């Protein structure tokens, strides 16, 4: 928990201290109100001043949502909606695939990113019965 608070404080400081932000990468993008906002962070160019913050935010958002889901299905009566393969793809590969999938589904760009993430995950890693 303390690590998360520390990271969030660092991210907030980085966003507030940096006086000039790229046109596509601005303070509002870090609020990730829409899937499009999250994708903008996930696709930040390494040349951008906030590249590290953006990429870490992207991965952190997606991993955090997935971990919350995992915790919510830990009970004995819970039903899985996402079943990763035994040999799991890397986190970077899943994020890359999520970005590509999202680009192919612009109808979800204005939705909450967590909803789009789970649309992607349930389609990509369905649980067979």
């Amino acid at each position: 928990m303390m690590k998360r608070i520390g990271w969030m404080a660092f991210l907030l400081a980085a966003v507030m201290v940096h006086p000039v932000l790229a046109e596509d990468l601005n303070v509002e993008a870090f609020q990730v109100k829409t899937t499009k906002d999250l994708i903008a962070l996930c696709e930040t160019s390494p040349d951008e001043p906030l590249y590290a913050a953006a990429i870490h935010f992207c991965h952190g958002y997606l991993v955090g949502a997935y971990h919350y889901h995992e915790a919510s299905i830990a009970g004995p009566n819970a039903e899985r909606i996402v079943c990763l393969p035994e040999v799991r793809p890397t986190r970077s590969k899943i994020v890359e695939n999520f970005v590509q999938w999202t680009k192919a589904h612009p109808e979800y760009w204005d939705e909450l990113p967590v909803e789009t993430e789970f649309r992607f995950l349930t389609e990509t890693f369905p649980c067979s019965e």
Side-chain angles (χ1 to χ4, degrees):
M1 179 74 166
M2 289 305 293
K3 285 184 180 181
R4 183 185 307 169
I5 291 171
W7 175 245
M8 290 171 69
F10 168 77
L11 179 62
L12 180 61
V15 170
M16 292 175 62
V17 170
H18 197 281
V20 179
L21 297 174
E23 184 175 293
D24 292 334
L25 185 60
N26 57 43
V27 174
E28 284 187 26
F30 281 90
Q31 294 177 17
V32 292
K33 293 178 182 177
T34 67
T35 297
K36 188 175 179 180
D37 292 338
L38 181 61
I39 296 305
L41 295 175
C42 296
E43 289 194 306
T44 300
S45 168
D47 299 334
E48 294 290 338
L50 292 177
Y51 170 76
I55 294 303
H56 291 294
F57 190 100
C58 165
H59 282 240
Y61 184 98
L62 294 169
V63 170
Y66 181 74
H67 282 176
Y68 180 82
H69 165 69
E70 287 290 296
S72 73
I73 59 167
N77 298 323
E79 290 186 39
R80 290 192 150 284
I81 61 169
V82 176
C83 294
L84 294 177
E86 194 171 311
V87 177
R88 293 182 173 196
T90 65
R91 178 180 61 209
S92 293
K93 186 63 177 168
I94 291 175
V95 170
E96 177 185 325
N97 290 346
F98 169 70
V99 169
Q100 294 306 313
W101 183 91
T102 303
K103 286 179 161 183
H105 294 86
E107 64 271 22
Y108 305 129
W109 289 355
D110 291 326
E111 290 189 5
L112 289 172
V114 69
E115 291 194 17
T116 305
E117 175 182 0
F118 280 90
R119 287 180 195 276
F120 159 76
L121 289 172
T122 57
E123 182 179 305
T124 306
F125 304 108
C127 296
S128 56
E129 299 197 23

